[in-house]
Amino acid sequence: MFPLMYNYSPEFKVKIVKYYLYNQNTSLRKTALRFGVNYRSVFKWVKLYKGGGSETVFLKYRKAWNRKNKEIEQMIVNLKENEPRLTIREAKKILNNKGINVSIKGIWSIWRRYGYAGFQKNNMTNNFTNYCVWTEEAKAMYEKAERMFRQKKIKDAAEILNKISFLPENKLVQQIPDRFLALKRRIEKMGIMFGSISHRKYIIKLRELFETCISKNYLYSALRIGTMEVIALSWIPNPEEQLKKISLLEQLVNNSKNYYSYLLFEPYFTLNICKGITYAFTSRINESYKCAAICRKLLSNKKHQSAFFMSHLGYLYSNLQDYSKAEKLFLRAIDKLDNTKNRRLLGTLAFIYLYKGEYVKAIKLSKFVKHTNWGAARWDILFRASLLLMKGYPNEAILQINKVITLFKKENIIINLFKSIFIVAGAFISMGDRIKAKKLIRGLIPLLKKNKLDLEMKICKYLFISKKKLICIRSTNILPTLRLLFLLKSGAYYQALNFARKKGISDYFYKFCLFNNEIVKALVQKGKPTGLPKSLLQLPIFNDEKLVYKFNILGSLRVHKNQKYLKVRLRPKDSAFLIYLCTKAMEPKKAINLDEVYNNFWPGSESASRNFSHLLVRIKKALKVPTHLLNISRSYGEPELINEGIYFTTDYQEFEQTLARAKALERADEWGFARKEYLRAFNLFRGEPFKKNFDDWSVNMRFKILTQLETEAINFAKSCLEHNKEIRQKERRTPKNMADARKVLQKVLKIIPDSEEIQKLLDGLMVE
């Protein structure tokens, strides 16, 4: 048997037709035999070609004989556009009243063709171009447009696309400029391009399209565009703007309390999810649970339950910190989504296991995760930093945070800065530096208050509050983490521990215990169980015997031992090695290769090993370090110095941390807060570092630090100049920026007197 006609490519059909027409010594049967097709097919193709040329042969679709004319079809389309809640039966009544007789099936067919009905139930997502179906007509016209595009006839391709009733997800529409596309194509294009362009640009485009739809009374399209905007806004987040937009969209469908229609399931469900997440974000917990109940009911009434919507209900519960319910929904949805969505889901599951304190599960899942374009918090690095802190590696956690802060995108910097600083503050306090941790947390409060991050602001506010000043809150309308903090602060340790286990927030409990360490130490002294991981209990905050050294190297060397100033007198080479040690082996179980040490400090010397032994003795004596904490061992024949139990920090690390925060705040357009962080960073310098150290490593480090200082000072001064002009134009006042810039440049010039660029910039600012 011959294959069906439509299995052949259009090019193949045209080739057969032309062979038959331009070859006089052939017939339909001979042509059919030559090419191995049915002669009836050849007859049809020839007839089509003669009737309309080669393009008609390409068309696989033929319009139905009983299809309504364009005017009636457009009228039926407009009914749905102007009244999104309208059902097919209601539309039929309206048409009957106008004397137009169209069957229910006919209306449904038109709405299906235009993307209002006939959805793929097993493929429902919040992107309508995914679940609306491809019609044969759309496929045929799309193929024709593709051929035009390949021939670089972009306008012709766009004209063909613009004639299609509805165009599901495809690649071609993304490649054609908006100026060539009709309104309906641009709306579909925004659904396809979610996450693939910058967040700000995406929001602007959505708002322009929304206004156009409203002006033309295309309310159904406006509802779709508005829903996309609400989803996009949730990535920032911006609660007030989200709720305002949701309220506007509810008004589009006339009755904000009862606007559900089975044909509007997707926007109704999605808006309730977004509303619930926003309520959770603003601590309106009871209202958020009401939204979750609505969505749960909607899903239960569906015969085909979408894994995508199931996972989004899970995201709502995870925002409510109801991780047990979220986990169940995620596990039901897992492996039923496409690869990208599934990996994002795995990431959220990994965090749930992290919050529950099930670190082995969390680590296993994290290996399969891939971050999204707007998820851009680079949660994977945040995840790693949090794990490192729990495993007892605070310095490593801080290094990871420094890395991730530079990767934050503008849209979500503030919320992720809170997560980062919370981990960094935990790392500092775990090493006994309560003052530094307190400054970091308290410094966040004005920023969080300005950006209306209610939960985060309350955590920062109550983290260091004394038990006497604690306000007892009995209301159930607070998130579990805040309730946990209040329980712990009030002294109900075991009640807090059981509550954390029940709610799946053990990781929060462990971190809160770092800030409330006295109660833990009291339990340890009494020999009572704490429920904390052993790695956490080994940290200095719970162990007075642990040694923590801080070296201030941004100037003459200063040493602090367990937060107390230690007066030491060291030879230049001894201090150089000490700084080398604390940068290479900052935490217990870290080691440095002694061959590298010998080559750096005693190059070519035959007595390098002996010299190092004497140096190590002097350092241990000066710093009052027990002998066993710095141990020399040989691994595979290579000598190593192993840090057996000391934590080292430097003010250079603090300089890098503060700079990273300042740059992130500047990217977030929070210049006032960024300026303060920049000034804190520059104030850490007291003079030229490594001034009397002339070994190769010290020379390289001095060059690196001074180059960084010079570059950052110049960038800060230029930023001050730029913001100075903006403030003068907008507020008509003289800001402090220029005075700050001059002060910083003058300080840096004292440290790097031969910097011509600093001098030139300073001279220019003096004139300014």
CSV table of all heavy atoms in Angstrom, one decimal, residues 694-736:
chain,number,residue,atom,x,y,z
A,694,PHE,N,58.9,41.3,52.3
A,694,PHE,CA,59.4,41.4,51.0
A,694,PHE,C,59.5,40.0,50.3
A,694,PHE,O,60.2,39.8,49.3
A,694,PHE,CB,60.8,42.0,51.0
A,694,PHE,CG,60.7,43.4,51.5
A,694,PHE,CD1,61.2,43.7,52.8
A,694,PHE,CD2,60.2,44.5,50.8
A,694,PHE,CE1,61.1,45.0,53.3
A,694,PHE,CE2,60.1,45.8,51.2
A,694,PHE,CZ,60.5,46.1,52.5
A,695,ASP,N,58.9,39.0,50.9
A,695,ASP,CA,58.9,37.7,50.2
A,695,ASP,C,57.9,37.8,49.0
A,695,ASP,O,57.1,38.7,48.9
A,695,ASP,CB,58.4,36.6,51.2
A,695,ASP,CG,57.0,36.8,51.7
A,695,ASP,OD1,56.9,37.7,52.7
A,695,ASP,OD2,56.0,36.3,51.2
A,696,ASP,N,58.1,36.8,48.1
A,696,ASP,CA,57.3,36.9,46.8
A,696,ASP,C,55.8,36.9,47.0
A,696,ASP,O,55.1,37.7,46.4
A,696,ASP,CB,57.7,35.7,45.9
A,696,ASP,CG,59.1,35.8,45.4
A,696,ASP,OD1,59.6,36.9,45.4
A,696,ASP,OD2,59.6,34.8,44.9
A,697,TRP,N,55.3,36.1,48.0
A,697,TRP,CA,53.9,36.0,48.2
A,697,TRP,C,53.4,37.3,48.8
A,697,TRP,O,52.3,37.9,48.3
A,697,TRP,CB,53.5,34.9,49.2
A,697,TRP,CG,52.1,34.7,49.4
A,697,TRP,CD1,51.2,34.1,48.6
A,697,TRP,CD2,51.3,35.3,50.5
A,697,TRP,NE1,49.9,34.2,49.1
A,697,TRP,CE2,50.0,34.9,50.3
A,697,TRP,CE3,51.7,36.0,51.6
A,697,TRP,CZ2,49.0,35.3,51.2
A,697,TRP,CZ3,50.7,36.4,52.5
A,697,TRP,CH2,49.4,36.0,52.3
A,698,SER,N,54.1,37.9,49.7
A,698,SER,CA,53.7,39.2,50.3
A,698,SER,C,53.7,40.3,49.3
A,698,SER,O,52.8,41.2,49.3
A,698,SER,CB,54.6,39.5,51.5
A,698,SER,OG,54.4,38.5,52.5
A,699,VAL,N,54.7,40.3,48.5
A,699,VAL,CA,54.8,41.4,47.4
A,699,VAL,C,53.6,41.3,46.5
A,699,VAL,O,53.0,42.3,46.1
A,699,VAL,CB,56.1,41.3,46.7
A,699,VAL,CG1,56.1,42.2,45.4
A,699,VAL,CG2,57.3,41.6,47.6
A,700,ASN,N,53.3,40.1,46.1
A,700,ASN,CA,52.1,39.9,45.2
A,700,ASN,C,50.8,40.3,45.9
A,700,ASN,O,49.9,40.9,45.2
A,700,ASN,CB,52.1,38.4,44.7
A,700,ASN,CG,53.2,38.1,43.8
A,700,ASN,OD1,53.8,39.0,43.1
A,700,ASN,ND2,53.6,36.8,43.7
A,701,MET,N,50.7,39.9,47.1
A,701,MET,CA,49.5,40.2,47.9
A,701,MET,C,49.3,41.7,48.1
A,701,MET,O,48.2,42.3,47.9
A,701,MET,CB,49.4,39.5,49.2
A,701,MET,CG,48.9,38.1,49.2
A,701,MET,SD,47.2,38.0,48.7
A,701,MET,CE,46.3,38.7,50.1
A,702,ARG,N,50.4,42.4,48.4
A,702,ARG,CA,50.4,43.9,48.5
A,702,ARG,C,50.0,44.5,47.2
A,702,ARG,O,49.1,45.4,47.2
A,702,ARG,CB,51.8,44.4,48.9
A,702,ARG,CG,51.8,45.9,49.0
A,702,ARG,CD,53.1,46.4,49.7
A,702,ARG,NE,54.3,46.0,49.1
A,702,ARG,CZ,55.2,45.3,49.7
A,702,ARG,NH1,55.1,44.9,50.9
A,702,ARG,NH2,56.3,45.0,49.0
A,703,PHE,N,50.5,44.1,46.1
A,703,PHE,CA,50.2,44.6,44.8
A,703,PHE,C,48.7,44.4,44.5
A,703,PHE,O,48.0,45.3,44.0
A,703,PHE,CB,51.0,44.0,43.7
A,703,PHE,CG,50.7,44.4,42.3
A,703,PHE,CD1,51.1,45.7,41.9
A,703,PHE,CD2,49.9,43.7,41.4
A,703,PHE,CE1,50.8,46.1,40.6
A,703,PHE,CE2,49.6,44.1,40.2
A,703,PHE,CZ,50.0,45.3,39.8
A,704,LYS,N,48.2,43.2,44.8
A,704,LYS,CA,46.8,42.8,44.6
A,704,LYS,C,45.9,43.7,45.4
A,704,LYS,O,44.9,44.3,44.9
A,704,LYS,CB,46.6,41.4,44.9
A,704,LYS,CG,45.1,40.9,44.8
A,704,LYS,CD,44.9,39.5,45.4
A,704,LYS,CE,43.4,39.1,45.4
A,704,LYS,NZ,43.2,37.8,46.0
A,705,ILE,N,46.2,43.9,46.7
A,705,ILE,CA,45.3,44.6,47.6
A,705,ILE,C,45.3,46.1,47.2
A,705,ILE,O,44.3,46.8,47.2
A,705,ILE,CB,45.7,44.4,49.0
A,705,ILE,CG1,45.4,43.0,49.5
A,705,ILE,CG2,45.0,45.4,50.0
A,705,ILE,CD1,46.0,42.6,50.8
A,706,LEU,N,46.5,46.7,46.9
A,706,LEU,CA,46.6,48.1,46.6
A,706,LEU,C,45.9,48.4,45.3
A,706,LEU,O,45.3,49.5,45.1
A,706,LEU,CB,48.0,48.6,46.6
A,706,LEU,CG,48.7,48.5,48.0
A,706,LEU,CD1,50.2,49.0,47.9
A,706,LEU,CD2,47.9,49.4,49.0
A,707,THR,N,46.1,47.5,44.3
A,707,THR,CA,45.4,47.7,43.0
A,707,THR,C,43.9,47.7,43.2
A,707,THR,O,43.2,48.5,42.6
A,707,THR,CB,45.8,46.6,42.0
A,707,THR,OG1,47.3,46.6,41.9
A,707,THR,CG2,45.2,46.7,40.7
A,708,GLN,N,43.4,46.7,44.0
A,708,GLN,CA,42.0,46.7,44.3
A,708,GLN,C,41.5,47.9,45.0
A,708,GLN,O,40.5,48.5,44.6
A,708,GLN,CB,41.7,45.4,45.1
A,708,GLN,CG,40.2,45.1,45.3
A,708,GLN,CD,40.0,43.9,46.1
A,708,GLN,OE1,40.9,43.3,46.7
A,708,GLN,NE2,38.8,43.4,46.2
A,709,LEU,N,42.3,48.4,46.0
A,709,LEU,CA,41.9,49.6,46.7
A,709,LEU,C,41.8,50.8,45.7
A,709,LEU,O,40.9,51.6,45.8
A,709,LEU,CB,42.9,49.9,47.8
A,709,LEU,CG,42.8,51.2,48.6
A,709,LEU,CD1,41.5,51.2,49.3
A,709,LEU,CD2,44.0,51.4,49.5
A,710,GLU,N,42.8,51.0,44.9
A,710,GLU,CA,42.9,52.1,43.9
A,710,GLU,C,41.7,52.0,43.0
A,710,GLU,O,41.0,53.0,42.8
A,710,GLU,CB,44.2,52.0,43.1
A,710,GLU,CG,44.3,53.2,42.2
A,710,GLU,CD,45.6,53.0,41.3
A,710,GLU,OE1,46.0,51.9,41.0
A,710,GLU,OE2,46.2,54.1,41.0
A,711,THR,N,41.4,50.8,42.4
A,711,THR,CA,40.3,50.7,41.5
A,711,THR,C,39.0,51.0,42.1
A,711,THR,O,38.2,51.7,41.5
A,711,THR,CB,40.3,49.2,40.9
A,711,THR,OG1,41.6,48.9,40.3
A,711,THR,CG2,39.2,49.0,39.9
A,712,GLU,N,38.8,50.4,43.3
A,712,GLU,CA,37.5,50.6,44.0
A,712,GLU,C,37.3,52.1,44.4
A,712,GLU,O,36.2,52.6,44.4
A,712,GLU,CB,37.3,49.7,45.2
A,712,GLU,CG,37.4,48.2,44.8
A,712,GLU,CD,36.3,47.8,43.8
A,712,GLU,OE1,35.3,48.5,43.7
A,712,GLU,OE2,36.4,46.7,43.2
A,713,ALA,N,38.3,52.7,44.8
A,713,ALA,CA,38.2,54.1,45.2
A,713,ALA,C,37.9,55.0,44.0
A,713,ALA,O,37.0,55.9,44.2
A,713,ALA,CB,39.6,54.6,45.9
A,714,ILE,N,38.5,54.7,42.9
A,714,ILE,CA,38.2,55.5,41.7
A,714,ILE,C,36.7,55.3,41.3
A,714,ILE,O,36.0,56.2,40.9
A,714,ILE,CB,39.1,55.1,40.5
A,714,ILE,CG1,40.5,55.6,40.8
A,714,ILE,CG2,38.6,55.6,39.2
A,714,ILE,CD1,41.6,55.0,40.0
A,715,ASN,N,36.3,54.0,41.3
A,715,ASN,CA,34.9,53.7,40.9
A,715,ASN,C,33.9,54.4,41.9
A,715,ASN,O,32.9,54.8,41.5
A,715,ASN,CB,34.7,52.2,40.9
A,715,ASN,CG,35.4,51.5,39.8
A,715,ASN,OD1,35.7,52.1,38.8
A,715,ASN,ND2,35.7,50.2,39.9
A,716,PHE,N,34.3,54.4,43.2
A,716,PHE,CA,33.4,55.0,44.2
A,716,PHE,C,33.3,56.5,43.9
A,716,PHE,O,32.2,57.1,44.0
A,716,PHE,CB,33.9,54.7,45.6
A,716,PHE,CG,33.2,55.5,46.7
A,716,PHE,CD1,31.9,55.2,47.0
A,716,PHE,CD2,33.8,56.6,47.3
A,716,PHE,CE1,31.3,55.9,48.0
A,716,PHE,CE2,33.2,57.3,48.3
A,716,PHE,CZ,31.9,56.9,48.7
A,717,ALA,N,34.4,57.1,43.6
A,717,ALA,CA,34.4,58.6,43.4
A,717,ALA,C,33.5,58.9,42.1
A,717,ALA,O,32.8,59.9,42.1
A,717,ALA,CB,35.8,59.1,43.2
A,718,LYS,N,33.7,58.1,41.1
A,718,LYS,CA,32.9,58.3,39.9
A,718,LYS,C,31.4,58.1,40.1
A,718,LYS,O,30.5,58.8,39.6
A,718,LYS,CB,33.3,57.4,38.8
A,718,LYS,CG,34.7,57.7,38.2
A,718,LYS,CD,35.2,56.7,37.1
A,718,LYS,CE,36.5,57.2,36.6
A,718,LYS,NZ,37.0,56.2,35.5
A,719,SER,N,31.1,57.1,41.0
A,719,SER,CA,29.7,56.9,41.3
A,719,SER,C,29.1,58.0,42.1
A,719,SER,O,28.0,58.5,41.9
A,719,SER,CB,29.5,55.6,42.1
A,719,SER,OG,29.8,54.5,41.4
A,720,CYS,N,29.9,58.6,43.0
A,720,CYS,CA,29.5,59.8,43.8
A,720,CYS,C,29.2,60.9,42.9
A,720,CYS,O,28.2,61.6,43.1
A,720,CYS,CB,30.6,60.1,44.8
A,720,CYS,SG,30.8,59.0,46.2
A,721,LEU,N,30.1,61.1,41.9
A,721,LEU,CA,29.9,62.2,41.0
A,721,LEU,C,28.6,62.1,40.2
A,721,LEU,O,27.8,63.0,40.0
A,721,LEU,CB,31.1,62.3,40.0
A,721,LEU,CG,31.2,63.5,39.1
A,721,LEU,CD1,31.3,64.8,39.9
A,721,LEU,CD2,32.4,63.4,38.2
A,722,GLU,N,28.3,60.9,39.8
A,722,GLU,CA,27.1,60.6,39.0
A,722,GLU,C,25.9,60.8,39.8
A,722,GLU,O,24.9,61.5,39.4
A,722,GLU,CB,27.2,59.1,38.5
A,722,GLU,CG,26.0,58.8,37.6
A,722,GLU,CD,26.1,57.3,37.1
A,722,GLU,OE1,27.2,56.8,37.1
A,722,GLU,OE2,25.1,56.7,36.8
A,723,HIS,N,25.9,60.3,41.1
A,723,HIS,CA,24.7,60.4,41.9
A,723,HIS,C,24.5,61.8,42.4
A,723,HIS,O,23.4,62.3,42.7
A,723,HIS,CB,24.8,59.4,43.1
A,723,HIS,CG,24.5,58.0,42.7
A,723,HIS,ND1,25.5,57.1,42.4
A,723,HIS,CD2,23.3,57.3,42.6
A,723,HIS,CE1,25.0,56.0,42.1
A,723,HIS,NE2,23.7,56.1,42.2
A,724,ASN,N,25.6,62.5,42.5
A,724,ASN,CA,25.6,63.9,42.9
A,724,ASN,C,24.8,64.8,41.9
A,724,ASN,O,23.9,65.6,42.3
A,724,ASN,CB,27.0,64.5,43.0
A,724,ASN,CG,27.1,65.7,43.9
A,724,ASN,OD1,26.7,65.7,45.1
A,724,ASN,ND2,27.5,66.8,43.3
A,725,LYS,N,25.0,64.5,40.7
A,725,LYS,CA,24.3,65.3,39.6
A,725,LYS,C,22.8,64.9,39.6
A,725,LYS,O,22.0,65.8,39.5
A,725,LYS,CB,24.9,64.9,38.2
A,725,LYS,CG,26.3,65.5,38.0
A,725,LYS,CD,26.9,65.1,36.7
A,725,LYS,CE,28.3,65.6,36.5
A,725,LYS,NZ,28.9,65.1,35.2
A,726,GLU,N,22.5,63.6,39.8
A,726,GLU,CA,21.1,63.2,39.8
A,726,GLU,C,20.4,63.8,41.0
A,726,GLU,O,19.2,64.3,40.8
A,726,GLU,CB,21.1,61.6,40.0
A,726,GLU,CG,21.5,60.9,38.7
A,726,GLU,CD,21.4,59.4,38.9
A,726,GLU,OE1,20.9,58.9,39.9
A,726,GLU,OE2,21.9,58.7,38.0
A,727,ILE,N,21.0,63.8,42.2
A,727,ILE,CA,20.3,64.4,43.4
A,727,ILE,C,20.1,65.9,43.2
A,727,ILE,O,19.0,66.4,43.6
A,727,ILE,CB,21.1,64.1,44.6
A,727,ILE,CG1,21.1,62.5,44.9
A,727,ILE,CG2,20.6,64.8,45.8
A,727,ILE,CD1,22.0,62.1,46.0
A,728,ARG,N,21.1,66.6,42.6
A,728,ARG,CA,20.9,68.0,42.4
A,728,ARG,C,19.8,68.3,41.5
A,728,ARG,O,19.0,69.3,41.7
A,728,ARG,CB,22.2,68.6,41.9
A,728,ARG,CG,23.3,68.9,42.9
A,728,ARG,CD,24.5,69.4,42.3
A,728,ARG,NE,25.5,69.8,43.3
A,728,ARG,CZ,26.7,70.2,43.1
A,728,ARG,NH1,27.1,70.3,41.8
A,728,ARG,NH2,27.6,70.5,44.0
A,729,GLN,N,19.6,67.5,40.4
A,729,GLN,CA,18.6,67.7,39.4
A,729,GLN,C,17.2,67.4,40.0
A,729,GLN,O,16.2,68.2,39.8
A,729,GLN,CB,18.8,66.9,38.2
A,729,GLN,CG,20.0,67.3,37.4
A,729,GLN,CD,20.3,66.4,36.2
A,729,GLN,OE1,19.7,65.3,36.1
A,729,GLN,NE2,21.3,66.7,35.4
A,730,LYS,N,17.1,66.3,40.8
A,730,LYS,CA,15.8,65.9,41.3
A,730,LYS,C,15.4,66.6,42.5
A,730,LYS,O,14.2,67.1,42.7
A,730,LYS,CB,15.8,64.4,41.5
A,730,LYS,CG,15.9,63.5,40.3
A,730,LYS,CD,16.0,62.1,40.6
A,730,LYS,CE,16.1,61.2,39.4
A,730,LYS,NZ,16.2,59.8,39.7
A,731,GLU,N,16.3,66.8,43.5
A,731,GLU,CA,15.9,67.3,44.8
A,731,GLU,C,16.4,68.7,45.1
A,731,GLU,O,16.1,69.3,46.1
A,731,GLU,CB,16.5,66.3,45.9
A,731,GLU,CG,16.0,64.9,45.7
A,731,GLU,CD,16.5,64.0,46.8
A,731,GLU,OE1,17.0,64.5,47.8
A,731,GLU,OE2,16.5,62.8,46.6
A,732,ARG,N,17.3,69.2,44.2
A,732,ARG,CA,17.8,70.6,44.3
A,732,ARG,C,18.4,70.8,45.6
A,732,ARG,O,18.2,71.8,46.3
A,732,ARG,CB,16.7,71.6,44.1
A,732,ARG,CG,16.1,71.5,42.7
A,732,ARG,CD,15.0,72.6,42.4
A,732,ARG,NE,14.5,72.5,41.1
A,732,ARG,CZ,13.5,73.3,40.6
A,732,ARG,NH1,13.0,74.2,41.4
A,732,ARG,NH2,13.0,73.2,39.4
A,733,ARG,N,19.3,69.9,46.0
A,733,ARG,CA,20.1,70.1,47.3
A,733,ARG,C,21.5,69.5,47.0
A,733,ARG,O,21.7,68.8,46.1
A,733,ARG,CB,19.4,69.3,48.4
A,733,ARG,CG,19.4,67.8,48.3
A,733,ARG,CD,18.7,67.1,49.4
A,733,ARG,NE,18.6,65.7,49.3
A,733,ARG,CZ,19.5,64.9,49.6
A,733,ARG,NH1,20.7,65.3,50.2
A,733,ARG,NH2,19.4,63.6,49.4
A,734,THR,N,22.4,70.0,47.9
A,734,THR,CA,23.8,69.5,47.7
A,734,THR,C,24.0,68.3,48.6
A,734,THR,O,24.0,68.4,49.8
A,734,THR,CB,24.8,70.7,48.1
A,734,THR,OG1,24.5,71.8,47.3
A,734,THR,CG2,26.2,70.2,47.9
A,735,PRO,N,24.2,67.2,48.1
A,735,PRO,CA,24.4,65.9,48.9
A,735,PRO,C,25.8,65.8,49.4
A,735,PRO,O,26.7,66.6,49.1
A,735,PRO,CB,24.1,64.8,47.9
A,735,PRO,CG,24.5,65.4,46.5
A,735,PRO,CD,24.3,66.9,46.6
A,736,LYS,N,26.0,64.8,50.2
A,736,LYS,CA,27.4,64.6,50.9
A,736,LYS,C,28.3,63.8,50.0
A,736,LYS,O,29.4,63.5,50.4
A,736,LYS,CB,27.2,63.8,52.2
A,736,LYS,CG,26.4,64.6,53.2
A,736,LYS,CD,26.2,63.8,54.5
A,736,LYS,CE,25.4,64.6,55.6
A,736,LYS,NZ,25.3,63.7,56.8
